């Protein structure tokens, strides 16, 4: 068979991340799907599998960007949760903003970037906060500034991509993940929740979480989650991971499990306490210590594992291959083609796309 | 603004210095009032307001040990798209140790739940005004034997524990209602806050209430001759506001006892444990010590303000119409006539006479003590 022909190998190497193929994460958790090597291959080791190691090294050297947006009413613990997720003071509050700042009259978009490193891998993490969302008396269309910001990042990327002289690595400011904080009323979603997610679930990856879930007992949590899932389905809202993007049966089964457990009921904390002879992150109340990383207490660990340890790369890819492409296609159709970036008078810019 | 004097009923101490010759015997008046009231029973109208999901119904059930909301059906988000703020009433008769209480709970479903909550307090202010108006008419009417008092005596306003203080909708609501009803702000679902967070939030809310000029219900000052212990308790109560409360419809086992509480994987929250929340303080204040005062303030302050305002409006209208100057307000009755006016005047004068008598009696009692 021609599968092991060296030519095939070189054409793959010219583009590290070809758009049509979504390679599995660099830290492999699943076996590859390649058919067992034919008899001829066993007689000579080509070394194709080292590509994974090469990609890994490359990723480690270049590092990567991750942009996460947090949306929800003030006081739902957004900043604390992000700090807890990345185990560093990365949110806006920790850097400059004091806790006594007043609620802004309109929704503002404020982003803060930090470079964090773990195991030799560097990540430029940008946390985009949206103060003022849902805090006014009249919250009509308060998602518009957010939608505008997201589309602006797509536009920025598109402009870079369309350039004749493109940067080697286009700075990626697109929102890879939007954590939406649901107030733990225990009843159902609020009107505003549905409006926001309806407008934005087709534009960005939304991961809904139930904030400050230490106010719900186990039964209340289960009931609330079920209610929320039903309501989302009834309104036709698809959150990440979207069913339509499951690639294969394995993906589907993994993601189904996650979808059934969502929305994750989380608790955040940046304080450590002594419990069971260990130092753990938690919240100390007169009736006990809520342990953030204890799966019996809340689903923070589930969220973290899902978002960071298994689907981080997928979040970026869905953003790039699906949401961004949708935006791009729409722009092309709307304008009948994009304006040429350089004034060369050519109308064949489309060949660059 | 007219400040109305609130008559405090002083408990006459059973003294040993009763001189038979000078002892008239009306010192037993409070007891007589008490007996009559027990026979008649009390009524109390309590309003609960706040966004949905803040535990209002659960708290009401916990306070009055009832299950008023058994058959409630919660709307889901789609059904609530066109929901407007409603006013619903639940009435329940409670009897304890021979004393009957007719409790009416006025609920405000839909408040603050929409995307656009402009003027969402409108239906609520309309409702309180309507009750005042109805009472005003009844009071000025001919047959006053069976006036129904539907005026709202107290409004528990639920502030979410998730924010950092008062939100714009909280401020606007309280400002729209603080001169119509006794507002008691509460921090709801307080079991999601650590003790230091509770304190911070309380301080913040108190500051903001002062900053925005919101007149919440004030506990009356202690009488100077009350016991020290009582005074101390009273002081603690006042410093504890706004109360941080937790409610529960379920009974759990805690420390060998069955108590109302909430069972979490990390511990059990007991509703009646004072180190867990201020529920007991609220209940004591609302029911055990200040229920009567809440009614008094409603009658003497809020209602009187409404009445004065109404009368002023009417007399100014009269002046405009150039009608004869009448000291009495001409009430918006369907057929105002001279006979009715005469009757009203008589009753008013009678009331004044009775008030003067009462004042004299009080003075006499005061002198007697000295």
């Amino acid at each position: 068979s021609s599968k092991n022909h060296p030519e095939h190998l070189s054409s793959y190497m010219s583009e590290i991340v070809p758009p049509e193929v979504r390679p599995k994460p660099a830290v492999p958790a699943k076996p590859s799907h390649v058919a067992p090597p034919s008899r001829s291959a066993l007689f000579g080791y080509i070394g194709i599998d080292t590509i994974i190691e090469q990609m890994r090294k490359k990723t480690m050297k270049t590092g990567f960007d991750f942009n996460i947006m947090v949306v929800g009413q003030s006081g739902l613990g957004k900043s604390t949760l992000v700090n807890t997720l990345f185990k560093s003071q990365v949110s806006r509050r920790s850097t400059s903003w004091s806790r006594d700042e007043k609620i802004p009259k309109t929704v503002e978009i404020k982003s803060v970037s930090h470079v964090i490193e773990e195991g030799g891998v560097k990540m430029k993490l940008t946390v985009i906060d949206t103060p003022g969302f849902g805090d006014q008396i009249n919250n009509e269309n308060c998602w518009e500034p957010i939608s505008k910001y997201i589309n602006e990042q797509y536009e920025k990327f598109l402009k870079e991509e369309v350039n004749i002289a493109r940067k080697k690595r286009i700075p990626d400011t697109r929102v890879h993940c939007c954590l939406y904080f649901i107030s733990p009323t225990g009843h159902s979603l609020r009107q505003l929740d549905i409006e926001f997610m309806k407008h934005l679930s087709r534009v960005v990856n939304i991961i809904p979480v139930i904030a400050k879930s230490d106010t719900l007992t186990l039964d209340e949590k289960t009931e609330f989650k079920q209610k929320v899932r039903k309501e989302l389905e009834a309104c036709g809202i698809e959150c990440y991971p979207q069913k339509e993007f499951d690639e294969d049966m394995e993906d589907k089964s993994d993601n189904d499990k996650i979808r059934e457990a969502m929305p994750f009921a989380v608790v955040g904390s940046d304080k450590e306490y002594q419990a069971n002879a260990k130092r753990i992150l938690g919240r100390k109340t007169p009736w006990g210590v809520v342990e953030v990383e204890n799966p019996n207490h809340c689903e923070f660990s589930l969220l973290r594992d899902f978002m960071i340890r298994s689907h981080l790369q997928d979040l970026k890819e869905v953003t790039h291959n699906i949401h961004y492409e949708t935006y791009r296609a729409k722009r092309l159709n709307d304008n009948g083609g994009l304006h040429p970036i350089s004034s060369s008078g050519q109308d064949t810019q489309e060949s660059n796309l | 603004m007219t400040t109305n004097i609130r008559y405090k009923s002083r408990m006459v101490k059973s003294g040993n210095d009763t001189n038979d010759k000078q002892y008239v015997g009306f010192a037993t008046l409070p007891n007589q009032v008490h007996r009559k009231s027990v026979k008649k029973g009390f009524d109390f109208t309590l309003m609960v307001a706040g966004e949905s999901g803040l535990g209002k119904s659960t708290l009401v059930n916990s306070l009055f040990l009832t299950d008023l909301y058994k058959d409630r059906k919660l709307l889901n988000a789609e059904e609530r798209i066109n929901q407007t703020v409603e006013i619903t009433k639940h009435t329940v008769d409670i009897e304890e140790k021979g004393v009957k209480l007719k409790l009416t709970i006025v609920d405000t479903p839909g408040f603050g739940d929409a995307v656009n909550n402009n003027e969402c307090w409108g239906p609520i202010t309309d409702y309180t005004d309507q009750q005042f108006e109805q009472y005003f008419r009844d009071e000025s009417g001919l047959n006053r034997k069976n006036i129904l008092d539907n005026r709202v005596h107290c409004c528990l306003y639920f502030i979410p524990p998730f924010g950092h203080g008062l939100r714009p909708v909280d401020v606007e609501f309280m400002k729209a209602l603080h001169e119509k009803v006794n507002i008691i702000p509460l921090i709801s679902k307080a079991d999601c806050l650590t003790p230091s967070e509770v304190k911070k939030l309380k301080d913040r809310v108190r500051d903001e209430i002062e900053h925005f000029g919101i007149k919440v219900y004030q506990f009356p000052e202690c009488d100077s001759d009350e016991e020290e212990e009582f005074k101390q308790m009273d002081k603690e109560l006042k410093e504890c506001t706004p109360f941080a409360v937790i409610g529960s419809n379920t009974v759990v086992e805690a420390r060998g006892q069955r108590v109302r509480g909430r069972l979490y994987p990390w511990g059990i929250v007991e509703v009646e444990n004072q180190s867990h929340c201020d529920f007991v303080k609220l209940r004591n204040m609302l029911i055990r010590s200040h229920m009567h005062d809440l009614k008094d303030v409603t009658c003497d302050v809020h209602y009187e303000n409404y009445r004065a305002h109404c009368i002023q409006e009417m007399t100014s209208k009269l002046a405009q119409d150039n009608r004869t100057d009448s000291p009495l307000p001409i009430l918006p009755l369907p057929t105002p006539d001279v006979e009715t006016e005469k009757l009203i005047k008589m009753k008013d004068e009678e009331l004044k006479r009775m008030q003067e008598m009462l004042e004299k009696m009080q003075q006499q009692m005061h002198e007697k003590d000295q």
Side-chain angles (χ1 to χ4, degrees), chain B residues 114-131:
Chain B
V115 176
N116 181 354
N117 292 309
N118 265 337
E119 305 289 322
C120 65
W121 46 87
I124 301 172
T125 51
D126 287 346
Y127 177 82
T128 48
D129 281 344
Q130 273 164 25
Q131 306 319 304

Side-chain angles (χ1 to χ4, degrees), chain A residues 108-156:
Chain A
E108 295 176 351
I109 310 281
K110 296 218 169 120
S111 73
V112 143
S113 301
H114 289 89
V115 175
I116 53 182
E117 185 176 331
E118 191 182 66
V121 179
K122 280 205 203 58
M123 171 159 90
K124 176 159 167 266
L125 174 71
T126 303
V127 179
I128 302 145
D129 202 346
T130 54
F133 176 83
D135 289 328
Q136 304 310 321
I137 295 179
N138 182 356
N139 293 308
E140 264 172 4
N141 302 324
C142 67
W143 52 83
E144 277 178 358
I146 297 174
S147 171
K148 186 160 161 272
Y149 175 83
I150 292 175
N151 285 329
E152 275 169 6
Q153 308 319 304
Y154 290 150
E155 182 68 24
K156 242 195 248 178

Side-chain angles (χ1 to χ4, degrees), chain A residues 73-77 93 97 99-103 135-143 183-192 194-195 198 211-218 220-221 227 231 234-235 267 271 273 283-291 296-298, chain B residues 51-55 57 72 74-82 111-121 161-164 166-170 172 189-197 200 204 211-212 246 262-270 275-277:
Chain A
Q73 286 177 302
S74 111
L76 285 181
R93 272 179 186 251
W97 203 77
R99 280 193 173 248
D100 293 328
E101 204 174 276
K102 294 217 182 345
I103 294 175
D135 289 328
Q136 304 310 321
I137 295 179
N138 182 356
N139 293 308
E140 264 172 4
N141 302 324
C142 67
W143 52 83
S183 184
T185 60
H187 286 188
S188 63
L189 285 176
R190 305 184 67 220
Q191 259 313 101
L192 182 60
I194 297 204
E195 290 293 307
K198 253 196 185 147
K212 295 204 168 174
S213 68
D214 53 343
T215 187
L216 298 167
T217 60
L218 282 176
E220 291 167 350
K221 238 189 272 192
K227 192 88 197 285
E231 287 194 319
C235 296
V267 172
K271 292 201 174 68
Y273 290 101
R283 289 173 57 72
K284 186 155 193 224
T285 65
W287 45 87
V289 177
V290 185
E291 297 167 38
N296 292 326
H297 287 192
C298 76
Chain B
E51 282 178 4
S52 85
L54 289 180
S57 321
R72 181 174 68 163
L74 291 171
L75 303 175
N76 64 28
E78 252 191 293
E79 288 168 331
R80 284 190 274 123
I81 287 179
N82 294 317
F111 174 82
D113 286 340
V115 176
N116 181 354
N117 292 309
N118 265 337
E119 305 289 322
C120 65
W121 46 87
F162 314 125
H164 299 294
L166 294 178
R167 302 161 303 157
V169 69
D170 302 327
E172 291 305 310
K189 292 199 168 177
D191 55 348
C192 79
L193 297 169
T194 63
S196 63
E197 289 168 348
K200 232 200 278 178
R204 184 81 188 256
H211 171 79
F212 287 107
I246 299 166
R262 291 173 62 71
L263 176 64
Y264 289 114
W266 48 88
I268 299 175
V269 178
E270 298 164 50
S275 59
H276 287 187
C277 72

Side-chain angles (χ1 to χ4, degrees), chain A residues 15-78:
Chain A
E15 292 172 298
I16 295 293
V17 186
E20 298 81 56
V21 175
R22 286 165 62 179
K24 296 299 173 207
V27 185
K30 311 172 232 181
S32 65
H33 290 274
V34 181
S38 64
R39 288 192 94 234
S40 56
L42 287 172
F43 289 101
Y45 174 62
I46 302 175
I48 298 173
D49 54 343
T50 61
I51 186 88
I52 296 185
E53 189 57 32
Q54 294 174 39
M55 274 175 63
R56 198 152 171 277
K57 276 214 192 116
K58 199 95 195 234
T59 311
M60 276 176 63
K61 265 175 69 180
T62 50
F64 62 105
D65 296 341
F66 191 70
N67 307 321
I68 176 171
M69 178 184 265
V70 286
V71 180
Q73 286 177 302
S74 111
L76 285 181
K78 303 186 289 291

Side-chain angles (χ1 to χ4, degrees), chain B residues 201-223:
Chain B
L201 185 58
K202 281 187 183 182
D203 289 343
R204 184 81 188 256
V205 169
R206 267 201 303 266
D207 287 344
E208 289 180 334
I209 285 177
E210 202 182 308
H211 171 79
F212 287 107
I214 298 170
K215 300 185 213 142
V216 297
Y217 172 71
Q218 299 292 335
F219 298 108
E221 289 304 321
C222 260
D223 286 336

Side-chain angles (χ1 to χ4, degrees), chain A residues 216-345:
Chain A
L216 298 167
T217 60
L218 282 176
D219 291 337
E220 291 167 350
K221 238 189 272 192
T222 318
E223 217 182 290
F224 188 43
K225 283 165 66 153
Q226 256 176 13
K227 192 88 197 285
V228 169
R229 274 199 301 273
K230 263 215 286 223
E231 287 194 319
L232 288 177
E233 203 181 314
C235 296
I237 295 170
E238 262 227 274
C239 296
Y240 180 86
Q242 298 89 332
K243 283 204 188 108
E244 45 185 329
F245 308 144
D246 286 340
E247 281 196 319
D248 48 37
M249 285 315 289
E250 200 185 329
D251 253 3
K252 186 171 176 331
S253 102
D254 287 344
N255 288 345
D256 272 346
K257 282 205 205 92
I258 290 169
R259 283 188 281 260
E260 248 135 69
M262 281 172 77
F264 294 122
V266 295
V267 172
S269 169
D270 44 16
K271 292 201 174 68
E272 283 191 339
Y273 290 101
Q274 196 80 16
N276 303 329
K278 283 193 295 174
R279 297 223 32 103
I280 44 119
L281 276 177
R283 289 173 57 72
K284 186 155 193 224
T285 65
W287 45 87
V289 177
V290 185
E291 297 167 38
V292 168
E293 288 173 306
N294 182 338
N296 292 326
H297 287 192
C298 76
E299 293 168 345
F300 170 80
S301 312
L302 277 181
L303 173 72
R304 181 203 47 210
D305 292 347
F306 156 63
M307 226 183 82
I308 301 181
R309 296 183 188 177
S310 58
H311 284 66
L312 196 64
Q313 180 63 16
D314 191 60
L315 279 163
K316 292 182 62 165
E317 282 172 12
V318 172
T319 307
H320 178 72
N321 298 333
I322 309 217
H323 296 303
Y324 171 66
E325 289 298 317
T326 310
Y327 177 82
R328 183 177 164 277
K330 191 167 171 294
R331 285 281 278 122
L332 289 181
N333 285 332
D334 282 348
N335 297 349
L338 294 161
H339 296 299
I341 297 302
S342 75
S343 51
S344 60

Side-chain angles (χ1 to χ4, degrees), chain B residues 156-300:
Chain B
L156 294 179
Y157 185 70
F158 287 69
I159 299 170
F162 314 125
H164 299 294
L166 294 178
R167 302 161 303 157
V169 69
D170 302 327
V171 174
E172 291 305 310
F173 174 87
M174 290 198 275
K175 279 173 78 171
L177 270 123
H178 63 170
E179 282 170 356
K180 296 181 195 285
V181 77
N182 295 317
I183 296 186
I184 297 180
L186 299 174
I187 295 174
S188 56
K189 292 199 168 177
D191 55 348
C192 79
L193 297 169
T194 63
S196 63
E197 289 168 348
V198 169
K199 183 169 183 308
K200 232 200 278 178
L201 185 58
K202 281 187 183 182
D203 289 343
R204 184 81 188 256
V205 169
R206 267 201 303 266
D207 287 344
E208 289 180 334
I209 285 177
E210 202 182 308
H211 171 79
F212 287 107
I214 298 170
K215 300 185 213 142
V216 297
Y217 172 71
Q218 299 292 335
F219 298 108
E221 289 304 321
C222 260
D223 286 336
S224 55
D225 54 354
E226 294 282 7
E227 293 165 5
E228 266 311 311
E229 197 189 320
F230 187 80
K231 277 200 213 168
Q232 179 63 21
M233 260 174 49
D234 194 62
K235 185 160 164 284
E236 275 173 23
L237 210 66
K238 288 182 188 164
E239 282 169 4
C240 211
T241 56
F243 294 134
V245 293
I246 299 166
S248 172
N249 282 331
T250 52
V251 175
V252 294
E253 181 105 13
R255 295 177 288 126
Q257 285 182 317
R258 290 179 64 75
V259 290
R260 268 196 185 231
R262 291 173 62 71
L263 176 64
Y264 289 114
W266 48 88
I268 299 175
V269 178
E270 298 164 50
V271 167
E272 295 188 20
N273 184 334
Q274 296 222 45
S275 59
H276 287 187
C277 72
D278 299 326
F279 173 82
V280 172
K281 291 199 177 79
L282 172 69
R283 181 186 58 197
N284 289 346
M285 186 236 91
L286 184 64
I287 303 175
R288 297 182 188 179
S289 45
H290 292 81
M291 193 175 245
H292 200 71
D293 188 66
L294 283 164
K295 291 182 72 168
D296 278 350
V297 174
T298 307
C299 296
D300 299 339

